[in-house]
Amino acid sequence: MKFSLTFGLGLLSVAAAKSTVNGTRFSIDGVTKYFAGTNSYWISFLTNNKDVDTVMDNIAASGLKILRVWGFNDVNRKPSSGTVWYQLVSSSGSQINTGADGLQRLDAVVNSADRHGVKLIIPLVNSWDDYGGFKAYTTAFGGTKEGWFTNAKAQTQYKAYVAAVVGRYINSNAIFAWELANEPRCKGCNTDVIFKWATEISAYIRSLDPNHMITLGDEGFGIPGASSYPYGTSEGTDFVKNLGIKDLDFGTFHMYPSSWGVPNSFGPGWIKDHAAACKKAGKPCLLEEYGTQSNHCTEEKPWQQASRALVADGMGGDAFWQWGDKLSTGQTHDDGHTIYYGSADATCLISDHVKAINAQ
């Protein structure tokens, strides 16, 4: 969604990762089934550990197992003290912030997730400008967003950041998967650009961490089945081709019909087509983001039903955008898609969904 130093941590260390693929399904802590999850970009930047624990308490109590959180926060200028930032990207010398207002905030999320049995998907850069993204790199090193994938200086710094974050949690059971980027796009590019980049970076992450899963984080564009915009390759991605990359363990796709100029009835077909591609590739599909800005239960429930129905045919799980909660500072960000804990929409799209999964 468009929105807005390596060392071991004793509390996070365990013998081996417990999130894996099992054919076209996921296995978590020895259980192989369809899993439900959600997204919370903002939890990575909370400065109150009690707030982090509150969110994890509520997510775990709801029966959700997968949580996708931002693992990036790139800046081109150091902000004022107390403002969270993870990486300063600069042509005169970049810096990865491992301090109390840096990656220690992500530490708190990983620690809490570990205690609550929640598994994290962590994307390592944003394609959008929020929290830095590709733009932070091109501001420092020049070039365009489309050129970011082949920009040598940008890629060198990106890989340094990847190494720092991956190495920090290499032994953590809380990590579900490393994600190359949030919604990588290369508008108008040959699909080989992202394919070659994803091949290289996924192999690089595998060399750093052979224990955890790796995925791309794309929206699922470029797939046979229809002629509407999302099915085309205009954004530089070929879902089927990328799914074949050896070091990518599962496929991701997102779904925002209103943003893409298609009706909400588009959803079940979009899910079915991706599931078919994943089944053919022998890898699970995760509907990693989805949402509407109104009529959440009415519009999104059929999508969940369509995804669950394909549990034996390529679908491994789903994660709605986005989780909403009440913190010490008040209610979390409402972007219109937000499903707040304890609401009627939460009963429909979380409680009822989890019950249906458990009944399968």
Side-chain angles (χ1 to χ4, degrees):
M1 186 70 178
K2 178 182 177 182
F3 264 101
S4 324
L5 191 79
T6 304
F7 60 91
L9 295 179
L11 291 177
L12 305 179
S13 297
V14 292
K18 291 187 178 179
S19 298
T20 62
V21 293
N22 184 350
T24 58
R25 299 192 191 187
F26 296 114
S27 290
I28 296 178
D29 296 332
V31 177
T32 300
K33 57 181 286 189
Y34 184 102
F35 290 98
T38 186
N39 290 260
S40 174
Y41 75 90
W42 42 262
I43 196 172
S44 304
F45 316 126
L46 297 179
T47 56
N48 184 331
N49 288 355
K50 290 183 178 180
D51 283 338
V52 174
D53 285 338
T54 293
V55 175
M56 291 295 181
D57 284 341
N58 294 339
I59 287 175
S62 296
L64 300 179
K65 200 67 178 177
I66 300 170
L67 176 63
R68 184 165 172 261
V69 305
W70 280 182
F72 53 81
N73 192 348
D74 306 313
V75 300
N76 294 118
R77 181 181 303 174
K78 285 186 182 180
S80 58
S81 178
T83 300
V84 177
W85 61 281
Y86 290 173
Q87 178 182 215
L88 171 69
V89 187
S90 172
S91 59
S92 60
S94 298
Q95 178 185 346
I96 296 170
N97 181 9
T98 60
D101 56 359
L103 288 175
Q104 289 181 33
R105 301 317 314 146
L106 189 57
D107 292 347
V109 174
V110 176
N111 269 301
S112 187
D114 195 36
R115 292 194 303 272
H116 288 86
V118 173
K119 309 301 180 179
L120 303 174
I121 297 176
I122 302 184
L124 297 161
V125 69
N126 202 1
S127 71
W128 306 100
D129 296 348
D130 305 278
Y131 300 96
F134 293 174
K135 187 177 181 180
Y137 289 85
T138 58
T139 296
F141 304 119
T144 64
K145 289 177 69 174
E146 288 71 27
W148 180 86
F149 300 94
T150 54
N151 183 321
K153 291 181 178 179
Q155 289 303 307
T156 295
Q157 186 54 41
Y158 166 69
K159 289 172 77 173
Y161 183 72
V162 167
V165 176
V166 170
R168 198 172 182 90
Y169 310 115
I170 194 169
N171 294 316
S172 174
N173 270 348
I175 305 301
F176 184 78
W178 301 114
E179 192 163 273
L180 274 57
N182 172 52
E183 300 187 334
R185 295 183 179 189
C186 190
K187 193 173 185 63
C189 301
N190 188 295
T191 58
D192 281 345
V193 173
I194 287 182
F195 174 79
K196 290 177 179 178
W197 169 79
T199 300
E200 176 188 349
I201 298 302
S202 59
Y204 175 64
I205 295 176
R206 184 75 71 203
S207 73
L208 298 171
D209 179 4
N211 297 322
H212 292 108
M213 293 189 291
I214 304 167
T215 194
L216 179 52
D218 61 312
E219 295 154 281
F221 295 154
I223 185 171
S227 59
S228 58
Y229 156 71
Y231 281 87
T233 60
S234 64
E235 300 294 352
T237 60
D238 181 326
F239 181 79
V240 174
K241 183 163 69 173
N242 293 337
L243 194 59
I245 295 173
K246 177 175 67 73
D247 289 307
L248 296 182
D249 295 289
F250 61 93
T252 63
F253 65 104
H254 298 180
M255 189 164 65
Y256 296 102
S258 62
S259 297
W260 296 346
V262 293
N264 288 332
S265 58
F266 158 96
W270 181 246
I271 295 167
K272 183 178 180 180
D273 291 334
H274 285 83
C278 281
K279 184 177 182 180
K280 186 175 181 180
K283 297 180 178 181
C285 257
L286 177 67
L287 175 53
E288 187 181 62
E289 288 189 26
Y290 61 92
T292 61
Q293 291 194 307
S294 62
N295 301 320
H296 297 292
C297 180
T298 302
E299 301 295 347
E300 297 173 42
K301 187 172 184 177
W303 300 345
Q304 293 180 336
Q305 292 170 332
S307 189
R308 290 197 310 268
L310 294 166
V311 64
D313 294 295
M315 288 305 302
D318 68 83
F320 67 87
W321 183 281
Q322 64 167 326
W323 180 268
D325 221 318
K326 186 176 182 180
L327 308 178
S328 61
T329 53
Q331 197 174 62
T332 59
H333 178 220
D334 184 2
D335 63 357
H337 299 86
T338 307
I339 306 299
Y340 283 98
Y341 176 66
S343 67
D345 283 334
T347 298
C348 173
L349 298 174
I350 302 175
S351 302
D352 292 350
H353 186 33
V354 169
K355 287 178 183 177
I357 291 169
N358 291 338
Q360 286 184 318

